[in-house]
Amino acid sequence: MASIRIPNGCITRPGIEQVLRYPVDTRMFENAVKEYYELLRMDKELSVRDPNMYKYLVDRRVLRREIDPIQDSEGYPDSKLYKLLNESYMKYRMHIQQRAIEEFTFLNDVKELYIKLTKGPQQTRVPDSLSPRNRPEYFSPRSKDMERTPSTREVPNTPIRINGVIYYPQPMYQESNSRISLQNDLVSKLQTEVNECNQVIDDLRDRLSKTASREIKDGGPSVLYTDNYTPTRISEEFNSIFIVEWSKALKSLTANKMESNEEEAISLLMNIVQNGYEFCRHYAVDQLQKLSFSIEKGLEDPFLTILDLRNVKYGQRKRIPDSLMRELKRMRKAEHAQTIVHATQKFKDGDLLRNPKYNYRHSPEIEAFVNSIVEALWLMVIQDPSMTLGWPQPNDVFNDAIYMPYKKQGSIVKHAVWPAVYLHAKGPLIKKGYVQPV
């Protein structure tokens, strides 16, 4: 068994030390131990020098995927320590070797950041007027007035203030620039990792929702059902309709002279949203009543026919248990796709067909807008509790906490453009709307 001595103040790495105590190749042992000591030294200095950056590395280590030593056998070709750890894993395939490789990967990340932090940016050539012979200790616009012979004074290591202006020593300035550059790189990498994690979460949510839906259809436990359309996601899709389909529909209305001006076209599209919301809200309540009524009567008399159910008034029904009502609401969310098809067609044949101004049959842009808006509104009203929309009234004071201005600024609302989205009635705001102020 080989012996190793950890430098004072350094954090030990049990996995690496266990492998080093029983090396599979004694020829690499000495170089591997020296490399390990150097990594521990950098680890200690970085934790003291920049605790926030070091904490970032520790947190990232928890979130990063497990390393497969077999697939990553050549990950660090210049490292004797990694080669020794990898050979040990190939021979024994135990958890302690896997842990040692993960510890080495973390220490190597620390090493890279430590080198970037201490190396600093490349220095530019010093002009003749600031040559090493007469270069001032601090650099400033009036540096010639401060020239002194460097040999007569010690090199400064703290900033000074002259006439209200702070001047930093060159080493401190270089280290600050290096630190800022390194932190910007870390922020960029962290944002990339967050985006990747969000993508994985969305994929898992979709897969779980499909699996849960199949379980429900097959008679499996309904507790597996997972709502794939959260209020936040619905509000995002609702806002994307305003950016894409609404803009195309507005352009179609004004280009084809279907409305005399843009304000009338905006009002027309706003009426579609308002009427669509009331339409979906009304039929969502009616659908839930029909479902609960049919179940209740079917349980009371299993021999009832469809005609019998039509002759029974809703007022004669009893209140079903809350647990069963919650189950109906969950099932309605799981089967919303087919419901939206019928709701969209009924809305077109009813509200839109009665208003000749819409003329959606001759405008694919308006029809696409109607299809998207009814789908989003239906998903809003079947939430528990239902999501709500808010519209300002003309001449109201413009509230920038709830609405954003459309095209131009102002303090008074001229007309509404797009509604704000709330989690529920009198609930918190989820997405701001748009208004035309004056």
Side-chain angles (χ1 to χ4, degrees):
M1 183 177 71
S3 62
I4 56 176
R5 294 182 179 180
I6 304 301
N8 293 333
C10 294
I11 301 176
T12 61
R13 299 302 190 273
I16 296 178
E17 293 172 17
Q18 181 71 12
V19 174
L20 290 178
R21 286 192 177 96
Y22 300 92
V24 296
D25 189 347
T26 56
R27 294 173 299 177
M28 294 187 294
F29 173 74
E30 184 176 353
N31 291 331
V33 171
K34 289 181 180 179
E35 182 181 349
Y36 178 50
Y37 289 166
E38 183 66 14
L39 290 175
L40 290 181
R41 182 188 65 81
M42 295 181 182
D43 178 75
K44 174 186 175 182
E45 292 188 12
L46 183 64
S47 64
V48 174
R49 193 165 188 167
D50 198 329
N52 293 330
M53 192 178 300
Y54 187 81
K55 184 179 182 301
Y56 162 78
L57 290 178
V58 174
D59 295 340
R60 191 178 68 171
R61 177 190 178 188
V62 177
L63 297 175
R64 72 185 306 169
R65 64 176 178 84
E66 292 186 358
I67 300 172
D68 187 352
I70 298 177
Q71 298 180 359
D72 197 36
S73 59
E74 299 297 332
Y76 304 90
D78 299 331
S79 173
K80 298 296 184 183
L81 175 58
Y82 183 81
K83 187 175 181 180
L84 183 64
L85 299 177
N86 190 267
E87 289 184 0
S88 179
Y89 176 82
M90 294 300 180
K91 183 176 180 179
Y92 298 108
R93 302 290 179 91
M94 297 176 65
H95 176 71
I96 192 66
Q97 283 85 19
Q98 173 99 19
R99 179 180 179 181
I101 291 177
E102 292 176 354
E103 292 172 348
F104 171 83
T105 304
F106 172 77
L107 291 176
N108 192 73
D109 292 342
V110 171
K111 173 185 175 182
E112 292 179 356
L113 291 179
Y114 178 81
I115 292 175
K116 289 181 180 179
L117 182 62
T118 56
K119 184 178 179 180
Q122 295 294 329
Q123 298 183 11
T124 57
R125 185 179 66 86
V126 180
D128 295 338
S129 60
L130 296 178
S131 59
R133 290 186 177 180
N134 58 0
R135 183 171 52 198
E137 297 149 356
Y138 294 88
F139 292 95
S140 71
R142 300 183 297 277
S143 59
K144 291 184 179 181
D145 298 333
M146 300 173 57
E147 292 183 0
R148 294 200 177 98
T149 304
S151 60
T152 61
R153 292 174 61 93
E154 295 182 356
V155 177
N157 55 8
T158 57
I160 61 174
R161 182 186 295 271
I162 300 177
N163 296 331
V165 180
I166 299 177
Y167 299 92
Y168 293 87
Q170 188 177 22
M172 183 180 295
Y173 178 78
Q174 291 175 344
E175 182 177 346
S176 176
N177 278 349
S178 177
R179 189 186 302 272
I180 292 173
S181 176
L182 189 56
Q183 289 179 347
N184 288 338
D185 292 341
L186 290 177
V187 170
S188 179
K189 291 180 181 179
L190 183 60
Q191 184 61 49
T192 302
E193 293 176 3
V194 169
N195 294 337
E196 292 176 354
C197 290
N198 288 337
Q199 183 62 42
V200 172
I201 291 173
D202 290 340
D203 293 341
L204 291 175
R205 185 186 291 115
D206 292 341
R207 290 169 56 189
L208 182 59
S209 178
K210 293 177 182 178
T211 303
S213 182
R214 287 195 299 268
E215 291 285 347
I216 293 175
K217 293 179 182 179
D218 296 339
S222 61
V223 72
L224 290 177
Y225 170 73
T226 301
D227 185 9
N228 194 31
Y229 286 92
T230 62
T232 302
R233 180 176 176 183
I234 295 172
S235 64
E236 293 292 342
E237 294 189 1
F238 185 71
N239 190 65
S240 68
I241 295 174
F242 174 73
I243 297 174
V244 181
E245 285 86 354
W246 183 89
S247 299
K248 292 181 179 179
L250 179 65
K251 184 177 180 181
S252 174
L253 287 172
T254 54
N256 297 329
K257 305 300 182 181
M258 298 175 68
E259 292 296 332
S260 58
N261 55 48
E262 185 182 72
E263 184 175 342
E264 292 182 3
I266 292 175
S267 177
L268 182 62
L269 296 177
M270 196 64 181
N271 286 334
I272 293 179
V273 178
Q274 291 174 327
N275 295 337
Y277 178 78
E278 292 300 324
F279 168 86
C280 291
R281 188 179 64 84
H282 171 76
Y283 281 100
V285 174
D286 188 63
Q287 182 193 47
L288 205 58
Q289 288 180 343
K290 289 179 180 178
L291 288 173
S292 59
F293 177 77
S294 300
I295 291 176
E296 177 191 335
K297 292 302 177 183
L299 291 175
E300 291 179 358
D301 186 355
F303 302 101
L304 285 176
T305 64
I306 298 298
L307 293 177
D308 294 333
L309 289 174
R310 290 180 178 177
N311 295 328
V312 179
K313 297 181 180 180
Y314 284 163
Q316 300 175 3
R317 60 181 291 270
K318 301 177 182 179
R319 178 179 176 83
I320 66 174
D322 293 338
S323 59
L324 182 56
M325 181 62 71
R326 288 194 297 268
E327 185 65 23
L328 289 177
K329 292 178 179 180
R330 286 195 291 265
M331 291 183 64
R332 179 168 68 171
K333 290 182 181 180
E335 303 295 335
H336 70 272
Q338 193 61 35
T339 306
I340 289 174
V341 174
H342 295 292
T344 304
Q345 190 59 46
K346 189 172 182 62
F347 179 67
K348 290 179 182 178
D349 295 341
D351 191 81
L352 292 189
L353 196 61
R354 288 194 298 267
N355 193 336
K357 288 186 176 182
Y358 293 149
N359 197 19
Y360 75 93
R361 298 184 187 277
H362 303 290
S363 176
E365 292 82 5
I366 297 181
E367 184 168 11
F369 171 71
V370 172
N371 293 339
S372 299
I373 203 66
V374 172
E375 178 179 2
L377 293 174
W378 182 261
L379 290 172
M380 286 183 181
V381 298
I382 64 175
Q383 299 299 306
D384 189 22
S386 299
M387 300 169 64
T388 59
L389 303 179
W391 291 272
Q393 298 298 321
N395 299 323
D396 285 351
V397 177
F398 174 66
N399 188 348
D400 58 359
I402 303 177
Y403 301 100
M404 291 186 288
Y406 177 75
K407 287 192 174 180
K408 60 181 181 180
Q409 302 290 333
S411 58
I412 303 298
V413 175
K414 183 179 181 181
H415 60 82
V417 177
W418 193 252
V421 182
Y422 295 88
L423 183 61
H424 53 79
K426 298 182 180 180
L429 177 71
I430 300 181
K431 206 71 177 178
K432 289 184 178 182
Y434 289 86
V435 299
Q436 181 63 73
V438 290

